[in-house]
Amino acid sequence: MAKSKQLARMTKEEGHEGVVKVSVLGKDSIILGRNMHSYIWDDLLNNLAYSTTFVLITDSNLQRLHMKKYVETFNQAIEAKYGKTGDQGASTAGSGSVERPRLLTLVIKPGESSKNRSTKAELEDWMLKEGCTRDTVVMALGGGVIGDLVGFVAATFMRGVRFIQLPTSLLAMVDSSVGGKTAIDTDHGKNLIGSFWQPERVYMDMAVLTTLPEREFANGMAEVIKSAAIWSMEEFEVLERSRENIRRALKGGDKEGKSESEKEDQELLLRVVSSSVRMKAHVVTVDERESGLRGLLNFGHTLGHALEAIVTPYMLHGECVSIGCVLEAELSHRLGYMNANSVGRLAKCFKQYELPISYEEAYVSKMVPPQVLKRVTLENMMNTMKVDKKNVGNKKRVVLLSEIGDTVEEQASRVEDDVVREVLAKSVEVFGIESTEQLQKRQGVGKGGDEDSAVVIIPPGSKSISNRALILAALGKGKCKIHNMLHSDDTQVMLDALVAMGACKVSWEQEEAEDQQTEEVLVIEGGGGEGLVVPDRELYLGNAGTAARFLTTFVNLIVTEQEKTTVLTGNSRMKERPIGALVDALRSNGCEIEYQEKKGSLPLKVRNSTKGLPGGKVELSASISSQYVSSLLMCAPYAQQEIELELVGDQVISQSYIDMTIAMMSAFGVNVEKLGDKNTHRYRIPKSSYTNPAEYRVESDASSATYPLALAAITGTKCTIPNIGSGSLQGDAKFAVDVLRPMGCDVVQTKNSTTVQGPALGGLKPLPMIDMEPMTDAFLTATALAAVATAGKEGTESITKIRGIANQHVKECDRIVALSTELAKLGIKTEVDPDGIDVKGISLDELNDKAREKQRNETSVVIHCYDDHRVAMSLSVLASVVRPGLVFDERRCVGKTWPQWWTALTTKYKICIRGCDIPTSSSSSAPELTAAAATEVKTSDKKEIEKKTDSILIIGMRGVGKSTLGLEMANVLGYNFIDMDTYLEEQHKKTIPEIIADDGWDGFRTAEAKCLATVLSNKDTNKNTVISCGGGLLENKLSSELVMAWKNVGNFVLHLYADINQVSEYLGRDKTRPAYKLGESPQEVFARRLADYKRHSTHTLYVHSEPEFGWGQMVDDAVRMIQFVTAGTNVIQNLSSLQRSFFVSLTCADVCEYTKEQIGDITAGCNAVELRVDLLLNDSRFSANKDSAGKDLLGSEQQVEDFELYVLQQVAALRRRTSLPIVYTVRSKSQGGNFPNNQQLIERLLIRGVEFGCEYIDVEMGGYDSETPADCSLLISVSTTTRKSAYYKHSQILASYHDPTGLNLRWTITTGSALDHLKSYLWHINKYADIGKLVSFAWDWDDNLRAVIFANKLRTSAANKPLIVINMSYVGQFSRILCPLLTPVTHPSIKTPAAPGQLSVAQIHHTLHTMGALPSKRFYLFGDPISKSPSPAMHNAAFEYLGLPHNYSLYPVNLGELDAQKLKEFAGKVLRGCNGGTGSGGENKVNCGYVFGGASVTIPNKQSIIPLLDELTDAAKAIGAVNTIIPIIRTRLPSTSDSKCSYNVPHSAHAAPLYIDRNLLKMVGDNTDYLGMISCIKNANSLLSTPLSLNTVGTNNSLSALVIGAGGTSRAAIYALHKLNVANIYLYNRTLENAEKLASSIDFTHVTVLSSLSDPQLLPAHPFGIIISTIPAPSQSTVDSSDYPSHLFSRSASQTAGSNNQSSNEGIVLDMAYTAGSTLTPLLTHVQTSHPSWKLITGLQVLIAQGVEQFKLWNGPECAPPVRQMTEAVYAFNSLSLQK
């Protein structure tokens, strides 16, 4: 054990509870406590020599948090000591009156940039100006920057004044504030000018730690852990077991009335900090000027600083030190000082406190930009370390550990560069041996006369056995020493949970292991199953699946008098893993367990009571995981009754692991009885208790043990594994006997050990056939040996065939194909089989010749490890005989099972290795796992690819709908369509299964690539083509390059993304294609391909599966997205010219909470809808990953990817609920949002928004820290990305800046940096954005007027982009009312507005009208009779809902009966305003207060109104009738330049419409009847199980439709069908002559007249898919079923989307007739009864739909109508009419 080391003295402060003092340099000058403000001033005023002036210096960030309290308590302390100002009897000293001390405060800019000469000079000048003298006390309130700078000022001001440290960060408390180091930076480096100047006091207030962000606290914890690692095993163990207690202490804050446990947590936090401080104080006292011992404080800093120099400021000092400590611990192990388990413990401790332990992990990639991360190379880090003045030649000064809590020397040690490189590098080169004799010489074989000595290696312990041993020992009685336990996340989680439940006590000891190395031995004192308690927190298990399953049963053993609950939870991945079968079994046994979120997965809530685990007979399905069985078996002895366990289901998985559990239970004193015969799976477990053995040795992982044994085999040497033998619990223990012995090795295996002596070099024998099913993971080792196994029988091929390993296709990678690929680099031929691999061995001479030849062409042979530990370790065995060496590109991937493998390889086996960077001429990227002969395709094909006009390539998994959706998109868009699978089959005249059967998968992929090259370079596809590709296309290298070339020249690549589980169900039914990877599930294939899909695509579309939305909606969504990205449709047209525009801000965490109808309510009156991506983090699957500070909300790459998928799903959900453009927003916390201030992650999500096809992307301006308030780099980056790519050019950038305080953005700024920032925002908006948005905070009402004036000034220049200018807060509401451009609004249905002060559309309209800014408009219905028309009810409901002051009323009139004079009066008074003026000579009268807004026209006026209008739309002309009038104000009269109204007022003035010259009014006639029909038909079509091919362009549309009737409505129906691109339109009327007359008058399409409907022979070849009746209601009274024979209602599959050659009896029937109160006409009633699969459309539905279209015409097409309110008003009116 580490020897006990001295700490600085610590004493309690008398009279001050919780305050302690630590001695440094002989003074009790370090004081720790909680809420110390008053104590500090009392101590300084009474115990420090008198001072006239205290100077308190901090930065602007900390000023807001702490300064006020210090000033207040100073004034209180001064009053208490000296009395209030002016009081008599002030304190005196000696004979004279004492001057009252004063407090001066100064605030500087935060950050390292302030720590320089100029800031120091400014501080000194200010102090001199303020009259500071030598008795001044200078106080530094802040972190390391403030302490270093202010301390240096104190050291030099007037040759040194007293100095006080008030550290506000944990890092400053335990590091920079103790020891007296002060300094500033220069251009030449950090801390190069400074001095040692000891502070008089260092006050450490634990309360300030609760204000730290989680990352900052972890930053300081790195130094705390470092201190314990070099000084105290005891303190290290406290840190290991106290993470949750410390977390709770930080969360607890300073509330009153703390519980005992909360007080204990606070005391623990004080202990942790004080212990670290005491260690440093002692070291400083012994070695103040860093001549020896103080150098130990640099543990982790030598290698950590090498990294920090490159990645600063993206990573914090403590994060780099954490990585440095782990690296230097690995270095200590490499040099033989520290055991591997201790390295693992140290790494796990850092990881517990959320610190990185490797510069290759995902956290580092997330924090550091890619361009910076590229500079993190071995050479760059070694060069950084060269400048250390302590270096000696090629040796570095590094603090080395002998064990946790002790160092090799009491100073830094000298270490050779080569060893440092070996540990530091990302990659490693393994050099082959010269000969067996030389290797044995290095190993020391033969020394001391022992020619038969062997290398003894103990691989890390088995994870399976380690976890079981922990459970058994915790439940057992007495102490148990567990040797060789694996240190992993799983075992650490298990230990923490067992301790939290009071199951055991844990300690560590060090002993000598069987390989003469010291080992960390875990000592567990089990509680015998007694005294178990409900933990005082959730048991967080991370992604530890084994722990989750074992503990699910274990927590039920807790017996409580009062009912309590225990919660088991984990990370997002854990919450997807199954636990259902075990929970079902426990529930059936009487346990009370609830799922907290997803059924069948964690988190679980377990109710603990007096009944514990009841016991008795238990049935359990063991077909999913053997761990369920082991969980019940191990806990069964402690059930209330004896348990009889029966395993049910089709199959028992992994019986060997169940046997392992039973054997281990026996070792701990409980024997399980197997019942029945060998084919039954019933077990009796007695009610008993475990008895702990004094020692339990965890077997080494048998799969890992194969590597050192194989090294002996391949090098001709000898190796012993002392703890794996024939009695092993693991199947892989048979490897030596079953594989190595037949290959020619001498094997001696006892019950507990295995020794292998290899044959002479090159003497391994091939194995004709070996079944490795019992030890599948060991096949990789066997494969590596088989590569050089050539000593078989003469005349036979050296081929080794391995079988029984089908599961290895689906491990961390496809291991079989991976080995085949890597061996091919060395000229070793293999054949991959569904169940194995055949390896053709070559001689060592041939192998090395090929390696040398490869090296002559490249720098080195690089082995790609696929991030798979077993690939790396097995191939490193082969590398031991390859000269020159092999480079392994992912050195640290071995960390999963044997983190110190490379060290064992060189120190134990004496194989030479060297750390290196990947050679630049070799590719380190993952090679193609399919060895497709891509060279057969000419690479020149890629050069032929050019920009295709709006052509689209579709990629994605098979089964997501690429072909079906692609064809539908092409039909609607009028594009060509190519299905690459069909094209391939046509070219080869074979089906794909036949191609694969004949040519194999490689041949198929090659053929696929050839076809793709042909299509993409073909001139015929250079315009408007949709190309659907096969799901595995990108598996081929050339296909991948072709798609990237297509993308890089500006073409569209659309990735269709669907729910892979639903796709899997479909693929399970679809047998037209074979599976790609043998043994791979669709989920696994998708996971492997997803990164390629993302990399190759320009856009992503989620294929939804919500049941209430049909396939037709999916087609509409796809078309809408493609039309936007190709043509820019669906953005708001002429935005600046609109009088008002709004977007509504959704604040829900899941859009699916709202139905389509509810979203329609919310978006009514708006022009766009905002999706707040930052608020999606509030969904439980993500919010559960954060703590109170929001730390690590998306803390891993997997969580980020999960969130990106969720965002994609939300975009799709919103798109299918509204057709409005989407404003995609990621609002950061610094600007009032919910997203962490992580610019790199925000940018990534914004680019995703572009890729997801969102029309508007809100990009924030302003940096995410106080040092860069005007940083617009995010805007520049996003804008540049979108603008440089042709396929993103239509995405609109909305550049925004939000100031939640109102202190940085003021509308009346005239000078200073704030003005510079504002100018910067405006400049960047005009250069990089399409719209700007500036939001401040209104402190007074006038701020609203200031905002309006500011905006109006900018809007006067056409050079400026459209600008949104508003204020937040209740006071700022008026700015929103006055903002005309895209005002953000809320809605009563939205529970929480997105920002303070948001109003609804209705509220804004009401206020505008009251202000006189929104005149009333009048709308009419012209017709006769019209008394029963629901139109007024419909339109007035819309106006009322939106707060519009308009009115729609009936105007009964028959224009055909009016004479010329009355027609003129009608036109002048009604159509052109109520003023009645003639308009000549400017004779306009005072307006009556309203404006004519528009009109509906019905019979008998649809034709007679036309002469009174100025213009007709194309639709009105074609139909020959008008049903809608739209007044349009011309900007000037035809033939004049007048652009003003009669009073010379601009038309944009609010009152202008009231006084407009009637001659400037243009009356436009339109017809919306056909639009209503189209809308209803499209909606009905989306509900068909097989939708009709509507909107199909071209001759391939075989859809037929029938119109019944011959009046004006029939003409509108024909026009609607024409617009839907229905190719075959038929007309029938009882009076044939009328039908023929109508048909002959139509010139916009061809119409075929039918003389009869009853004779099938007269009907068209393509039966009808749509039938529209326009017969008036009164004429239908005589209709019966014979009028509509059944053959009208059958259609062929050729008329449907995705034709499958089957007839369909679905269709759409629309009846335009309706009467008040009637719902279904006789026709619809007949169809409903006789043909229920047909979708019905009523005349009322069309009336509503055309009314919706009228609303758009009158209020602007961009404005969403309130459809539900209009619909309900019509049906309510109709119902009321029926009652009347």
Side-chain angles (χ1 to χ4, degrees), residues 1570 1573 1603 1608-1618 1668 1670 1712:
Y1570 85 98
M1573 296 182 203
V1603 176
T1609 307
S1610 298
R1611 192 179 186 96
I1614 293 170
Y1615 189 73
L1617 295 170
H1618 165 66
I1668 303 176
T1670 66
M1712 289 295 292

Side-chain angles (χ1 to χ4, degrees), residues 50 85 134 224 306 382 762 811 825 836 890 932 954 964 979 1010 1165 1178 1455 1506 1510:
Y50 172 79
T85 305
R134 290 209 64 194
V224 174
M382 292 299 295
K811 288 288 188 174
K825 295 178 180 178
E890 295 170 322
I954 304 179
T964 304
D979 184 307
K1010 286 182 177 181
N1178 291 330
L1455 297 178
I1506 293 175
D1510 299 299

